[in-house]
Amino acid sequence: MYAYELHKINEAELLRRAELERVVRQARRARRTARRSGRQEDEGVVSTFRNRFVRAA
């Protein structure tokens, strides 16, 4: 009976950790989405050929 109780305690701990990690992942995804939507950009910035090199003296 003791081994079964330890198993149930371990199972409960693993489920608690998994739920916590799931919540953290959802929060990160929500922050990333909010940050991206705030910029009003669908894609990243693309540099032009002129912006890649500095002017020669």
Side-chain angles (χ1 to χ4, degrees):
M1 196 66 183
Y2 182 71
Y4 178 75
E5 291 173 1
L6 283 178
H7 169 71
K8 290 308 246 181
I9 291 171
N10 190 26
E11 179 186 23
E13 177 66 20
L14 290 174
L15 289 173
R16 187 187 65 79
R17 285 185 188 179
E19 180 63 26
L20 180 63
E21 290 176 11
R22 192 175 305 117
V23 169
V24 168
R25 197 167 42 245
Q26 288 174 347
R28 286 180 182 163
R29 188 177 301 131
R31 280 193 307 243
R32 188 180 316 126
T33 303
R35 194 170 51 236
R36 287 181 180 169
S37 67
R39 291 186 298 201
Q40 300 296 328
E41 293 179 2
D42 292 335
E43 297 178 0
V45 178
V46 178
S47 63
T48 62
F49 184 71
R50 289 182 170 212
N51 293 340
R52 291 185 194 163
F53 303 101
V54 296
R55 289 186 60 142

